[in-house]
Amino acid sequence: MTFSRPVMFRVFPLLAVLSMAVQAAPSPPLQSPLGPSFDEIVQQADSARTANQVSEAIVLYRQAVQLRPSWSDGWMWLGDLLYEQDRFPEAQDSFGHFLALTPAPGPAWAMKALCEFEMRDYSHSLKDFEKWMHGGNQGNEALTDVAAFHTAMLLTQERHFDQALSLLTERAHRSGETPLLVEAMGLASLRMPNLPGDYPPGLREQVWLAGKATFYLSIQEFERGQAYSHRLLTDYGQQPQVHYINGLLLKAQSKSDQASQEFHMELQISPRNSQAMLELSLIDIDKGKLQEAMSLSQQAVQIDPANPETHRVLGQVLLAKGQTKASAQELESAERLAPENAATHFQLAMAYRRLGRKQDTQREMSTYLAIKKRRPAQNDSVKARDASHSPEAPQ
Amino acid sequence: MIALIASAFFVVAASLPPQQASPSSPTESVAQGPGDFDQLAQAAKRAREEDHDDSAIDSYRQALILKPGWDEGLWYLGALLYEKENYSEACTIFRRFLAQNPGNGYGWAMLGLSEYESHEYTRALDHLQQSLLTGLGDNKRMKATVYYDTSILLTRSEQFDESMDLLLARVAAGEDTSTLVEPLGLAALRLPFLPDEIPADSREMIRIAGEAVLALEEQHYADADKLFDQLESTYPDQPGVHFLIGVHLLDSRPEDGIKELKREIEISPSHVPARVRLADQYIKEQKIDLGLQYAQEALKLAPGSASGHMVLGEGLIAKGDSVGGIQELEIARKASPDMVRIHWDLVRAYTAAGRVADADREKSEIERLSKEDQAH
């Protein structure tokens, strides 16, 4: 049997580099009336830390920041060490102090967000993860991986299922299968706004089967995905999302007629499933049934106007129909809602090209390429989509 | 559960430092009059002993504001919060306790149990395992609870073989088997659910599978056969059933066992353990090429499978490729360092290759694992 503590990650090396530039100007040595000076305490704290005497180091860093609250590195070390001891409320407070003192916080937003997640303060956690992401997802590989996974779980809880699945798909490519990832994918694919483990126990099997099917879909092992999807259909065929998941697996294997049947089945069970409408629209575009595609994607936009995918697919239909100006408008809406979606930028580049907007074309193409480079997992799905739906390449 | 915690209280209290009412780290305390703290600590103790839990919790909280590092206070507050089903706060308090007492197995156990109740299953499993590693002394009830929760969480996280080992160890230890039937059935059928999460229409199948494994373990072979027959005739198309029966038959009727395992692969085309068992069986029967084929198929489906690399290594060695075989066995050892069979394989392979020092190292490792196993 293997016994292990949860993976810990020390983020300080990067934090230290970032904060060095913004440290407070050297202050005169501070002397506590009863004890050692600030510098002496810092020295002792550093020694305790490097000797892996975590509890002692925490006490000493705490003394140091009490003596000099503007010492940002001290807060950072303190937060890092407290996090390592799973003392999340105290770690969160320390990272909060650090963040208030430095304009270049790097991964500290993610660390604070992780603490908040563990404290079940989910709304602040998601906000802080978003700040971390807007700051460029800084941190070492372990932190980036854990932070992105937690963000995905929170996005699911907030019903941003597609964004969550996009992050989870990236993790699937990066880290392979884990039971927790499968569970998170199951929840997002069934559109259940819950955290892993935290839903009615009677739904566990359904979540597990959906998670397995979605995981194997995301790593393009379609036969294995299909095996789980069949079990899902057999036991839960009347539940929402089940036919949709099967449809995605069939579509990924270029079985578009069978996929189309599954999406129609899904719409019988959940008539307002905009995702199924979008998938049917895309199949219709492929078959040149542009009027049907138009009707379905317009319906999807009406049902789910906050979903960037509805605008993106409608934009794509309009582009195929030659209504380029209207297409650009829809794609711009999609871009506003999901600036990190590579496919949207690619299609916008095509629309601008047709409109003769050279500069805009180049800008969108550069953004598309940059995202592809940054997020290779998305790249795969975009490639597949681009290959099947791009009548031309933008120049 | 209350009795269980109460006995844990006793054990932990006995292991606390003698100055129980003092903070373990004076530097973490907040400067206040000692009288205030002593009064609060006394009030908390009195309220706890008189079963006035809310009042005790209140007093412990206040005392801990004055002396945040007070071990005894942290322990009792955490345990009282657990009893009051305030699991989330109990987790926070036990984490503080463990930061100061990382070698306290009861602390890890209480944290793991609190996390289990909070549905933080991954963390719970880690911390319950940590409690077993750290040790739970002679507290049988606490141990039984921790072993049970650990085994069902191992199943939920798809570590079915590890779960089965733990459950069978509990059967061998003479534990009441009635609570182990469903966990055994789940692990045997490789269904990653907690007993509470069993779908209603699968409960009977899981019960039969669990009873069958139990009968087998207790050497009631006729009963086991009847139960396996019942399982097969009632649930012929359910994933996991033929694998379980196949593994059971491999010892007594290997040909039938092989048929069952192949049937499992028809039902569950990506079943890795069925392929590993087939590979193992064919290598035993000296049908090495067939064995290698199934081992390779297993590894194609699960490149990280320790068992897959192990049987491939065994097959390659049997075929005379000792370099390739050792290479596979070393991959298997890296993936699963605690699997004794891999170390035995390596002892034999290194010895045959004249690598005496390497063989000795493997023997020491086997000895270490065996001692560790006995300790648990």
Side-chain angles (χ1 to χ4, degrees), chain A residues 106-180:
Chain A
W109 283 119
M111 293 302 296
K112 182 163 174 271
L114 285 170
C115 295
E116 286 155 346
F117 186 94
E118 300 298 344
M119 294 158 63
R120 299 182 171 231
D121 181 1
Y122 299 126
S123 62
H124 282 108
S125 181
L126 184 56
K127 277 180 196 157
D128 286 343
F129 275 128
E130 281 167 353
K131 285 178 191 163
W132 169 70
M133 289 176 121
H134 290 149
N137 300 13
Q138 291 183 52
N140 60 27
E141 206 179 316
L143 175 66
T144 308
D145 191 44
V146 171
F149 182 62
H150 282 73
T151 307
M153 289 194 282
L154 291 171
L155 286 168
T156 297
Q157 206 188 27
E158 289 292 311
R159 296 177 181 273
H160 299 304
F161 304 112
D162 295 315
Q163 282 171 265
L165 277 170
S166 169
L167 287 174
L168 294 170
T169 297
E170 286 176 31
R171 186 174 221 235
H173 281 263
R174 208 169 41 242
S175 319
E177 184 181 351
T178 66
L180 195 57

Side-chain angles (χ1 to χ4, degrees), chain A residues 27-76:
Chain A
S27 316
L30 280 175
Q31 177 76 46
S32 148
L34 297 173
S37 71
F38 171 78
D39 289 339
E40 285 166 343
I41 294 171
V42 170
Q43 203 177 11
Q44 287 171 22
D46 288 346
S47 302
R49 176 175 49 76
T50 48
N52 214 23
Q53 295 165 341
V54 177
S55 296
E56 290 78 359
I58 286 172
V59 171
L60 290 160
Y61 280 117
R62 189 164 272 157
Q63 283 179 5
V65 294
Q66 272 166 9
L67 280 175
R68 189 183 289 174
S70 64
W71 185 43
S72 59
D73 278 5
W75 288 113
M76 200 164 51

Side-chain angles (χ1 to χ4, degrees), chain B residues 3-277:
Chain B
L4 183 150
I5 294 171
S7 58
F9 276 3
F10 177 75
V11 178
V12 171
S15 68
L16 288 171
Q19 29 57 291
Q20 287 179 2
S22 321
S24 62
S25 317
T27 40
E28 280 207 74
S29 69
V30 176
Q32 289 275 338
D36 297 344
F37 171 76
D38 289 344
Q39 279 171 13
L40 284 165
Q42 285 302 321
K45 188 180 177 202
R46 205 167 37 247
R48 176 173 55 78
E49 285 171 353
E50 290 169 2
D51 289 334
H52 297 147
D53 289 355
D54 290 334
S55 167
I57 287 172
D58 203 36
S59 297
Y60 278 120
R61 277 193 182 130
Q62 288 182 50
L64 282 162
I65 291 171
L66 298 179
K67 290 187 177 172
W70 181 35
D71 278 334
E72 186 190 320
L74 287 169
W75 172 263
Y76 281 120
L77 178 56
L80 286 165
L81 289 166
Y82 181 91
E83 275 192 31
K84 300 292 283 182
E85 299 183 12
N86 184 348
Y87 301 116
S88 178
E89 199 185 340
C91 288
T92 304
I93 297 298
F94 283 121
R95 283 171 189 146
R96 277 174 59 189
F97 174 80
L98 284 161
Q100 295 167 186
N101 302 280
N104 190 307
Y106 292 100
W108 289 114
M110 289 305 296
L111 175 60
L113 294 173
S114 305
E115 286 165 337
Y116 176 88
E117 297 295 345
S118 305
H119 302 170
E120 295 178 47
Y121 297 131
T122 308
R123 278 184 174 280
L125 178 57
D126 278 332
H127 295 144
L128 290 172
Q129 287 183 320
Q130 183 66 29
S131 80
L132 293 174
L133 188 66
T134 312
L136 290 171
D138 294 326
N139 189 328
K140 284 186 183 164
R141 297 191 64 189
M142 176 67 107
K143 264 186 174 174
T145 305
V146 170
Y147 273 116
Y148 179 84
D149 281 4
T150 304
S151 63
I152 62 175
L153 287 171
L154 281 167
T155 292
R156 196 178 195 275
S157 69
E158 302 188 33
Q159 299 177 61
F160 304 110
D161 297 333
E162 290 84 348
S163 171
M164 186 60 95
D165 286 348
L166 212 54
L167 289 164
L168 293 179
R170 302 323 295 159
V171 176
E175 207 163 285
D176 170 22
T177 51
S178 62
T179 56
L180 301 179
V181 171
E182 284 183 349
L184 281 167
L186 285 165
L189 292 169
R190 306 180 88 78
L191 294 170
F193 315 138
L194 296 174
D196 285 352
E197 295 173 334
I198 294 173
D201 56 0
S202 302
R203 199 169 284 280
E204 180 62 4
M205 175 180 74
I206 289 160
R207 185 194 63 76
I208 298 171
E211 296 277 10
V213 172
L214 199 55
L216 208 58
E217 189 62 15
E218 291 172 338
Q219 303 184 3
H220 301 151
Y221 298 118
D223 292 344
D225 284 342
K226 264 187 213 162
L227 287 160
F228 281 123
D229 285 347
Q230 189 187 351
L231 192 63
E232 184 162 32
S233 58
T234 319
Y235 305 101
D237 298 324
Q238 285 298 310
V241 167
H242 294 275
F243 172 71
L244 175 59
I245 295 168
V247 170
H248 162 57
L249 291 176
L250 279 179
D251 281 339
S252 51
R253 288 153 42 200
E255 274 180 36
D256 291 337
I258 286 174
K259 271 186 204 156
E260 291 291 336
L261 292 173
K262 286 184 175 170
R263 175 78 187 118
E264 182 63 54
I265 292 173
E266 282 170 25
I267 293 170
S268 321
S270 54
H271 206 289
V272 174
R275 285 180 169 82
V276 170
R277 294 307 291 254

Side-chain angles (χ1 to χ4, degrees), chain A residues 302-323:
Chain A
Q302 266 182 353
I303 290 169
D304 201 359
N307 179 351
E309 278 301 282
T310 61
H311 296 281
R312 193 184 66 76
V313 174
L314 179 55
Q316 199 171 326
V317 179
L318 289 164
L319 194 63
K321 280 177 73 85
Q323 297 176 25

